[in-house]
Amino acid sequence: MLTYAPRPTLNLRPYSLSLLLTIWLGLFCWTGPVSAQFHFKDYGPHPRLTPPDAIKGVGALMVDGQTGEILYARNPDKRLLPASTTKLMTALIVYEKNNKGLNGSVTIQESDRAEPSNIPVVPGETISVDKLFHALLIESANDSARALGRYVAGSNEAFVGMMNQRALAMGLFNTHFNNPNGLPAPAGTHYTSCADLMKIFQHVIVYPELAKILSTKEYTIATASGTHTLRNHNRLLGYYPGMGPAKTGWTVASRHTYAASVTQNGHQILLILLDSPNKWLDAQILFNWGFAQIGSQPAPSGAAP
């Protein structure tokens, strides 16, 4: 005759209420470190790739930095709003007009002031070109863009003309500027394309000084308005492996814009994103995919979101 042993029961008495609460919180409420939100859980030597067409951005262009091969493109020639990635052209022109250096200083005028992202500058103070460049490319300061443009061209209007002349000289026929910082402008007066912005970005990062600033996470400057710690708007800097120089942008109309370079295992990928609802997610999808295609990371046998 078969007999059955009684099912053991769990005795909870030895456990305190606080210990049980701790276990429950750990299982169901822990969200991981802050950096976890920037990473795919499956990122690693053999990532489970999300197909690039899953991105939500309207425009995208990703190229192999060494060969120039296009790894992915979506509407590369479509005219879209650049927002603060405009400042890449501003930086390029000012740097070259300033004898390819960061020397000199600028006496601030009332016309240099701008909102919302700014140092802020104070009319009458003198700020070094070096500080203005750091504020321009790290903190995306709109007043720095106006001050630097006026510094090399004499006025904001003259500098915008200089920007558009340079765009034509570079063959950027889907680009036109209305201001040096990317703030909202009348419809049809301020736009670029992924292909055009890629050329501007490539010209900028050729200069080591500019590439270094674009890769700097924090930088402190002192001006008449106080001591300011500039914080890079690139949330993937320091989180996504190999993240290098990059410039971000955002307005309500443009949504997220992005120009970024990542290098892993000696392979560099350059990416432009325009009109994206979430550039951080789109960028990671594309970088993961791109590195798999060029062999920096072995591609898996199948892809999964």
Side-chain angles (χ1 to χ4, degrees):
M1 181 177 179
L2 296 175
T3 59
Y4 296 91
R7 180 177 296 177
T9 58
L10 179 64
N11 183 8
L12 296 178
R13 291 180 179 176
Y15 301 94
S16 67
L17 180 60
S18 61
L19 177 59
L20 290 175
L21 179 60
T22 300
I23 294 171
W24 185 87
L25 288 171
L27 288 174
F28 299 106
C29 298
W30 184 77
T31 58
V34 173
S35 62
Q37 63 185 302
F38 301 116
H39 287 284
F40 287 118
K41 292 182 293 183
D42 55 9
Y43 184 82
H46 299 277
R48 299 175 61 192
L49 301 174
T50 299
D53 283 340
I55 67 168
K56 303 300 183 182
V58 173
L61 180 61
M62 179 170 60
V63 304
D64 185 319
Q66 276 69 42
T67 67
E69 176 189 0
I70 295 176
L71 302 172
Y72 182 78
R74 174 183 289 179
N75 299 318
D77 298 315
K78 185 178 178 66
R79 294 180 175 182
L80 297 166
L81 303 178
S84 282
T85 57
T86 296
K87 296 180 175 83
L88 290 169
M89 180 63 100
T90 299
L92 176 64
I93 294 175
V94 174
Y95 187 79
E96 292 181 343
K97 293 293 183 181
N98 199 43
N99 297 316
K100 297 182 180 179
L102 302 177
N103 300 319
S105 59
V106 181
T107 300
I108 301 301
Q109 297 181 4
E110 180 66 32
S111 62
D112 298 329
R113 300 176 68 178
E115 299 286 345
S117 178
N118 55 29
I119 291 178
V121 296
V122 176
E125 72 169 317
T126 298
I127 305 178
S128 70
V129 170
D130 180 81
K131 289 180 180 179
L132 289 171
F133 258 96
H134 280 81
L136 176 77
L137 297 178
I138 298 175
E139 189 66 36
S140 201
N142 294 311
D143 48 8
S144 289
R146 293 181 65 89
L148 287 169
R150 182 181 57 77
Y151 170 69
V152 298
S155 70
N156 185 70
E157 294 73 21
F159 184 72
V160 171
M162 193 178 290
M163 295 172 75
N164 288 320
Q165 290 173 7
R166 182 60 184 275
L168 289 175
M170 293 172 65
L172 311 182
F173 302 119
N174 290 309
T175 294
H176 189 273
F177 298 106
N178 177 270
N179 58 62
N181 45 37
L183 287 174
T189 66
H190 197 98
Y191 53 82
T192 192
S193 68
C194 290
D196 285 2
L197 187 55
M198 177 67 76
K199 292 180 182 178
I200 297 170
F201 185 49
Q202 288 173 315
H203 275 74
V204 169
I205 62 177
V206 161
Y207 297 115
E209 282 185 305
L210 299 186
K212 181 180 179 181
I213 296 174
L214 287 165
S215 305
T216 299
K217 197 171 183 66
E218 289 188 356
Y219 192 85
T220 300
I221 63 172
T223 68
S225 59
T227 299
H228 309 282
T229 299
L230 310 173
R231 293 181 173 85
N232 202 309
H233 293 188
N234 180 16
R235 293 170 63 184
L236 297 184
L237 181 60
Y239 291 101
Y240 191 90
M243 175 58 65
K247 184 70 192 76
T248 69
W250 184 87
T251 66
V252 172
S254 70
R255 301 198 298 175
H256 287 279
T257 66
Y258 199 38
S261 168
V262 170
T263 301
Q264 294 182 6
N265 300 325
H267 293 280
Q268 181 193 44
I269 286 180
L270 305 176
L271 174 65
I272 302 296
L273 281 170
L274 293 174
D275 198 355
S276 169
N278 186 338
K279 61 175 164 257
W280 314 121
L281 181 58
D282 280 357
Q284 289 180 95
I285 289 173
L286 291 175
F287 281 133
N288 283 355
W289 179 267
F291 281 117
Q293 306 317 300
I294 63 176
S296 180
Q297 299 170 351
S301 56

